[in-house]
Amino acid sequence: MFERVSSPSSSLTSRRSFLKSSSIAGASIALPAGLASTLMPGLASAQAQTVIKATHGSGLCNLAFFLAKKRELSKADGVTLDFVITPTNADIATLFGAGQVDMSVIPYSNFLTLYDAGAPVKIVAGAGVDGCILVAREGIKSAADLKGKSLGTFQADTLEVLPYDYLKKAGLSFKDVKVRYFNTSPEMAQAYNAGAVDAICHIEPYATQCLTARKGSTILSDGSDIYGKHYSDCVLAVRTPLIEKNPKAVKAVIKAMMVAQSQAEADPEAALRDTVGSFYKTSMEAAKLAASKQPIMIDQRKNTQFILDRAQSMKELGYVKKLAPRAAIDWTLLDQVIAENQSLYAGLKLKTTA
């Protein structure tokens, strides 16, 4: 039986409701109380610096974005990042698709949904790779063991695509499990740790937190068994009007994220000290254990076809009507940043040419 159970606090009760909320590209939206006031940058700040409003996720795939903000790595190039905090994961894509923010680090799956809905957005760089981990309670060791069990995830997320592809590879489908959707990363982790669901597909550092918190937990898939090493999770997506009007500002952010990657690779502990607590609601110990499982990789040009191929799963899941074209991904500005910062690029450990 194919049963979908939403979290009690979830506003996402069906794929239809997600599509309705995320397909409003350019339309006005009703924002959560207190959120609208954060969306208008001050004129004085705008004159001093180019202020880019942005949303982001909560996993380690956002680490470069967080460091760029925390350490003001784009400020020297005249750009300030202004993060808009969203109540739920769904609001991240909703604000971006509606044009309330111009930039977002989001799962490639959310991007595909927005692109299909007509939002003027493009992927311009990578963010994080790997780190989508399917964790199950004691006694569940395989896809077959998941039959009839409850699975926690997020809608239209890479964390929904991975278990879908995992089950499909084993000859099963979402009809064989009870899918329960959650709003936030901490909420889903807490539900699993409390025994409310049998399995979850989560990002780092929360997946490692769950593995250590619930005795007997097992990793069913870390994605590499299905996709290979360094598969894409989150990407840097930008609205095309900003790309056309101010490509220098977009390049400044890409460069800042590349600098952040270099810094995190050189001193991962310092990178976590700057982000655990403020951005990651987990312990430093759990973050350290998780860090190597979801590294930063800004140059993800090698993942172009991987991202486009995942649109087929998104179509089968009912989130998109058509497959995204190659034009949805535009590495032009990334290419320019690499060419203009060859020493920085050469020092990166993870990149397409490595």
Side-chain angles (χ1 to χ4, degrees), residues 25-87:
S28 61
I29 55 175
L31 300 178
L35 185 57
S37 62
T38 71
L39 294 173
M40 294 300 291
L43 292 178
S45 297
Q47 291 171 357
Q49 290 259 309
T50 296
V51 179
I52 297 180
K53 290 283 185 182
T55 53
H56 58 78
S58 57
L60 279 173
C61 58
N62 292 265
L63 182 56
F65 210 35
F66 293 159
L67 289 174
K69 167 67 173 176
K70 175 76 174 181
R71 297 174 177 177
E72 299 184 323
L73 299 178
S74 62
K75 195 169 185 179
D77 290 315
V79 174
T80 297
L81 283 172
D82 188 2
F83 286 169
V84 176
I85 306 304
T86 56

Side-chain angles (χ1 to χ4, degrees), residues 220-275:
L220 298 181
S221 173
D222 65 358
S224 62
D225 53 318
I226 307 171
Y227 305 137
K229 194 65 175 171
H230 299 153
Y231 60 89
S232 182
D233 176 25
C234 287
V235 294
L236 178 65
V238 180
R239 290 182 66 85
T240 52
L242 178 61
I243 296 173
E244 294 167 355
K245 293 177 182 177
N246 200 345
K248 286 184 64 177
V250 179
K251 286 171 61 177
V253 175
I254 296 173
K255 177 187 171 184
M257 291 176 68
M258 206 172 284
V259 171
Q261 178 180 341
S262 176
Q263 293 178 350
E265 289 175 345
D267 193 344
E269 188 166 337
L272 294 176
R273 282 199 304 268
D274 276 354
T275 52

Side-chain angles (χ1 to χ4, degrees), residues 135-138 185-198 200 202 204-219 281-283 285-287 289 293:
V135 179
R137 66 164 172 78
E138 184 178 9
S185 293
E187 178 191 24
M188 185 160 69
Q190 290 163 11
Y192 176 78
N193 292 340
V197 287
D198 299 309
I200 57 170
H202 219 328
E204 292 295 4
Y206 301 97
T208 292
Q209 182 187 67
C210 292
L211 276 169
T212 56
R214 189 168 176 179
K215 187 178 180 181
S217 294
T218 302
I219 293 178
K281 308 306 178 184
T282 188
S283 67
E285 181 182 1
L289 289 172
K293 300 176 185 176

Side-chain angles (χ1 to χ4, degrees), residues 139-183:
I140 299 177
K141 305 293 183 181
S142 67
D145 293 335
L146 277 176
K147 291 189 69 172
K149 305 299 192 300
S150 56
L151 168 70
T153 187
F154 300 127
Q155 277 197 302
D157 199 285
T158 55
L159 299 177
E160 186 177 13
V161 176
L162 187 147
Y164 176 81
D165 288 345
Y166 172 78
L167 290 169
K168 184 177 179 180
K169 185 178 179 181
L172 301 171
S173 73
F174 270 14
K175 294 180 180 179
D176 297 301
V177 296
K178 300 172 184 176
V179 181
R180 180 175 173 182
Y181 295 111
F182 291 88
N183 280 326

